[in-house]
Amino acid sequence: RDNIRTLQGHSAAVTCVKVSGDGTRLVSGGLDYSLKVWDIEGDLAMQPSRREGHKGPIRAVQISSGVVVSGSEDETVQVRDIASGECQTSFQGGCGAVRCLTVSVEGSLIYIGGVDKIIKVWAVASSTCVQTLQGHSGSIYSLALSSPSTASTSSAASSKETACYSGTVHSTGETLLQPQQGTEHLFSASEDTTVRAWDPASGDCLTVFKGHTGPVFSVVVNAPGTTLFSGGMDKSIRVWDTETGDCLRTMKGHVSWVNALALDTESSRLVSGGEDKKVMVWNPQTGECLKVLEGHTDIVTSVAVGVDHGCIFSGSGDKTVRMWKYYKCCKLFRGHT
């Protein structure tokens, strides 16, 4: 645990962490209603004042094109300049308490999921809702976007449902969705135990991935958009083929809920965080667990991988953010209380 630095500021559990695309900034949000931006050395670079910030716990953050987007249980989404902290826009998400969000590649759209079981698509420039995605029967806990140039599912009038039981794939639909290049697709994880693939433009649900036996808390997709990873309350990480909907494998290692997943930029490492206080590093191609990182004293709520592949960040109920070099904790960010 060399070079550990303790940062003061937060006063409750950390719920979400993200790293900027250039690897120079880390953003954290917590149950204390506060948002913090740190430089990669661990110094506090920006935080909105309590008066200007959210009025409820922050559950989701994203960094895009020089701005920080945050979603809260107060049902609002805020967009802030990452350097000054100035709020550029704030609006009601329209899906109840916000649990997750993500931003389109070019930064023009914000996708928001919440407790109202729907996903809203908002245009940033006009702060207007341009699409509503409906189909889940439980809260939406996680969202992920495929690359627009390599999306592997497409719009169709009918959808395909798949189920994975003990490694055996059972198809409950007859229509296979054909790949369509150049379209951004959205994946959502829900309390209803399923993951869904969507065409946000049309609002069509393309595929329903079934197999988890409890709520699904996190979903990530690889860079080509061909492979999906999901983790949840059933302690498992499931790997899916986004084109066929087949469950390729089930990865087990956590002894409690899998709360968070993250992939590095080359999709060569998958990182998971669990209710068992552990961060685990996996080979996503083979399903092999490469390393277990221990040090948190409470549940791991969120994980992120830096541009430098050796850097992993984890947020926890113990009110800290830790930075790891895969095989050791090299910094401790303390501040949440």
Side-chain angles (χ1 to χ4, degrees):
R1 295 168 41 144
D2 298 334
N3 303 314
I4 292 176
R5 184 179 297 180
T6 301
L7 305 178
Q8 302 299 321
H10 279 295
S11 58
V14 180
T15 57
C16 45
V17 294
K18 289 292 178 182
V19 181
S20 62
D22 62 6
T24 63
R25 291 287 187 268
L26 171 73
V27 179
S28 63
L31 294 183
D32 56 2
Y33 307 2
S34 72
L35 175 76
K36 295 184 183 297
V37 179
W38 318 86
D39 68 31
I40 219 63
E41 294 303 316
D43 294 321
L44 184 61
M46 183 277 283
Q47 64 174 341
S49 70
R50 186 66 175 265
R51 179 178 59 83
E52 297 173 336
H54 286 288
K55 309 306 179 187
I58 295 174
R59 289 290 183 177
V61 293
Q62 286 285 345
I63 305 176
S64 174
S65 304
V67 299
V68 178
V69 184
S70 56
S72 169
E73 288 186 20
D74 67 7
E75 304 187 8
T76 69
V77 172
Q78 295 185 353
V79 181
R80 295 182 175 277
D81 182 271
I82 196 170
S84 68
E86 179 182 358
C87 185
Q88 298 179 350
T89 184
S90 178
F91 56 89
Q92 293 287 128
C95 54
V98 178
R99 300 308 301 261
C100 55
L101 59 81
T102 192
V103 181
S104 62
V105 173
E106 77 287 352
S108 64
L109 297 173
I110 301 174
Y111 304 87
I112 307 164
V115 299
D116 283 356
K117 311 173 188 178
I118 58 176
I119 301 163
K120 293 284 187 176
V121 185
W122 286 79
V124 176
S126 60
S127 294
T128 56
C129 180
V130 295
Q131 186 63 268
T132 300
L133 308 179
Q134 301 184 68
H136 281 295
S137 59
S139 297
I140 315 297
Y141 289 136
S142 182
L143 296 171
L145 281 170
S146 65
S147 168
S149 62
T150 55
S152 58
T153 54
S154 68
S155 176
S158 59
S159 64
K160 181 193 176 192
E161 293 190 353
T162 60
C164 173
Y165 303 95
S166 303
T168 302
V169 177
H170 301 267
S171 174
T172 61
E174 296 180 356
T175 304
L176 291 176
L177 304 181
Q178 297 303 312
Q180 176 176 306
Q181 299 298 319
T183 305
E184 193 167 65
H185 288 99
L186 183 71
F187 300 90
S188 57
S190 172
E191 179 186 20
D192 66 11
T193 76
T194 71
V195 174
R196 287 178 179 252
W198 307 86
D199 178 350
S202 67
D204 290 339
C205 177
L206 310 176
T207 310
V208 181
F209 303 88
K210 290 187 174 182
H212 282 285
T213 57
V216 188
F217 296 136
S218 188
V219 62
V220 292
V221 63
N222 69 349
T226 56
T227 307
L228 187 71
F229 303 86
S230 59
M233 189 182 286
D234 61 8
K235 311 175 189 178
S236 74
I237 300 168
R238 292 177 184 265
V239 186
W240 309 87
D241 184 311
T242 59
E243 181 177 340
T244 66
D246 293 347
C247 181
L248 304 177
R249 72 180 62 89
T250 300
M251 299 155 60
K252 294 185 177 181
H254 286 284
V255 296
S256 190
W257 305 354
V258 179
N259 291 328
L261 297 173
L263 276 169
D264 67 8
T265 54
E266 296 179 352
S267 301
S268 63
R269 293 291 183 268
L270 176 72
V271 179
S272 60
E275 202 86 0
D276 55 10
K277 310 175 188 177
K278 296 176 182 178
V279 176
M280 303 185 75
V281 184
W282 307 81
N283 180 326
Q285 281 75 46
T286 66
E288 177 189 5
C289 179
L290 304 175
K291 189 67 180 179
V292 178
L293 304 174
E294 297 183 89
H296 281 297
T297 59
D298 205 329
I299 65 172
V300 179
T301 60
S302 49
V303 291
V305 182
V307 174
D308 169 5
H309 333 247
C311 290
I312 294 171
F313 302 88
S314 55
S316 170
D318 65 13
K319 309 164 192 175
T320 69
V321 177
R322 291 179 182 256
M323 186 173 95
W324 311 83
K325 272 285 191 186
Y326 276 156
Y327 298 107
K328 66 178 180 180
C329 175
C330 53
K331 282 190 179 69
L332 174 64
F333 297 78
R334 189 186 301 276
H336 289 280
T337 61

